[in-house]
Amino acid sequence: MNYTLNQLRIYQKVVQTNSITKAAEELHLTQPAVSIQLKNFQEQFEVPLIEIINRRIFVTDFGKEIASAAEKILSEVHAINYMMQAHKGLLTGKLKFSIVSTAKYVAPFFIVDFIKQHQSVELLLDVKNKAQVMNSLERNAVDFSLVSVLPTNLNIEKMGLMQNKLFVVGNTDEPFTKKKYDKRIFENMPLIYREQGSGTRHVMENFILENNLPVTKKMELTTNEAVKQAVIAGLGYSIMPLIGIKNELLNRQLQIIPVEGFPIISTWYLIWLKDKKLTPLASAYLKYIEKEKDNIIKNKFNWFEEY
């Protein structure tokens, strides 16, 4: 056999994504290049690794064993690279995060200076909904996750980063002049929801249920940005995290509607699997966050306390 590390990486990514197209996108390669390398890799085995049926990829049992072996080999290669860099006194490796979609307004500020300090560190920041983030964490595919709703079915360690505030928001077509509105306002306020599996959706539905609110569901959209644009257009109202609507509030595209019981306040948590053996890089990042998180909040999120 004469397979290459590049072929192992490509094969592992195809197995992970169940798609040649998605694998090519994530590896920043063309689809033909991935297909050629996958074919060359397969030709070194007498037993099929994958089967393509009705344009869908199915990994064979043997293929799963090879994928597992490939993951171990690539992990050892990363370890060798790390040891070489560590010997030179450099912190290096890949720091992997999976974060919920609204955390994209938070996470970069808690990462950027650490990455600038350690130029040899590679960052993987995967943005998904809450259910997908929990899946990545459970599979031990990432070092850390950033969420505002803690999982109940996983043994985790956690570190609180900062507050998360959710408000009732609408566009600015209609004035809301009262200092505070009764919750009965929801009787005439069609709400736009995030999709099932979203952390924002989870918090929103729990609040509605606990308070027995008379809400009308207007529509369901799959991203925070889509919800935001629908509200701006006047298609309805929503309950949204403050962290994601700063510019729209300043530009007067959106307004916060003062309703009793709001804001809903939770916490952004950095979480990782309990008993996980953290890499030296991941451990260094935790120490950095413990030391710097208050300064980051003060310098980057001082506007947050105004609401």
Side-chain angles (χ1 to χ4, degrees), residues 9 12-13 16 26-27 74 78-79 81-82 91-97 114-115 120-125 141-144 279 281-282:
R9 290 190 186 96
Q12 184 191 37
K13 186 60 68 175
Q16 283 179 350
E26 294 190 17
L27 292 168
L74 293 171
H78 283 301
N81 290 337
Y82 170 77
L91 190 61
T92 187
K94 183 179 289 186
L95 194 58
K96 296 179 285 187
F97 294 83
F114 181 80
I115 297 297
S120 298
V121 170
E122 184 180 350
L123 174 65
L124 174 63
L125 191 63
V142 294
D143 298 305
F144 304 106
T279 65
L281 172 58

Side-chain angles (χ1 to χ4, degrees), residues 35-256:
S35 297
I36 290 169
Q37 290 300 321
L38 185 63
K39 179 177 180 293
N40 292 341
F41 186 60
Q42 171 66 83
E43 286 177 350
Q44 298 181 68
F45 301 91
E46 295 180 3
V47 180
L49 301 175
I50 64 174
E51 296 175 338
I52 300 178
I53 303 173
N54 293 329
R55 304 180 75 177
R56 291 181 60 194
I57 288 178
F58 296 88
V59 184
T60 66
D61 289 342
F62 179 68
K64 291 175 183 176
E65 292 179 15
I66 297 299
S68 178
E71 184 174 359
K72 292 175 183 176
I73 292 169
L74 293 171
S75 178
E76 290 299 320
V77 170
H78 283 301
I80 291 170
N81 290 337
Y82 170 77
M83 285 186 283
M84 180 181 67
Q85 297 294 334
H87 187 70
K88 295 190 293 185
L90 297 174
L91 190 61
T92 187
K94 183 179 289 186
L95 194 58
K96 296 179 285 187
F97 294 83
S98 62
I99 66 172
V100 295
S101 58
T102 46
K104 66 178 177 283
Y105 303 108
V106 177
F109 296 100
F110 285 91
I111 298 172
V112 59
D113 286 340
F114 181 80
I115 297 297
K116 286 181 179 179
Q117 291 170 19
H118 305 286
Q119 296 292 325
S120 298
V121 170
E122 184 180 350
L123 174 65
L124 174 63
L125 191 63
D126 198 8
V127 182
K128 300 177 180 290
N129 69 25
K130 175 177 173 283
Q132 293 168 325
V133 166
M134 290 303 102
N135 180 259
S136 294
L137 190 67
E138 187 174 13
R139 291 188 293 107
N140 198 29
V142 294
D143 298 305
F144 304 106
S145 293
L146 186 59
V147 297
S148 61
V149 179
L150 293 173
T152 56
N153 63 330
L154 294 177
N155 290 323
I156 61 165
E157 300 282 358
K158 68 180 187 294
M159 181 191 296
L161 294 185
M162 61 178 286
Q163 277 191 341
N164 183 34
K165 301 177 184 178
L166 287 85
F167 289 88
V168 182
V169 298
N171 68 10
T172 53
D173 290 350
E174 180 181 350
F176 289 86
T177 56
K178 289 185 181 180
K179 187 173 182 180
K180 189 73 71 173
Y181 286 84
D182 186 272
K183 293 175 185 175
R184 285 175 295 180
I185 192 175
F186 288 108
E187 293 177 1
N188 300 307
M189 184 178 283
L191 288 182
I192 300 172
Y193 282 58
R194 282 288 305 278
E195 82 285 7
Q196 288 287 353
S198 156
T200 300
R201 168 77 171 258
H202 175 82
V203 172
M204 182 174 168
E205 288 187 323
N206 279 355
F207 186 85
I208 289 169
L209 186 63
E210 289 170 4
N211 291 273
N212 195 28
L213 299 183
V215 303
T216 301
K217 181 179 176 182
K218 179 71 173 180
M219 66 178 68
E220 179 177 307
L221 298 172
T222 57
T223 68
N224 195 63
E225 288 298 318
V227 172
K228 187 193 302 184
Q229 294 305 317
V231 174
I232 290 172
L235 290 173
Y237 301 83
S238 194
I239 297 172
M240 301 188 70
L242 173 63
I243 199 71
I245 59 174
K246 175 186 177 183
N247 291 335
E248 288 73 20
L249 290 173
L250 293 175
N251 295 336
R252 294 205 47 79
Q253 293 175 293
L254 292 176
Q255 64 175 317
I256 290 174

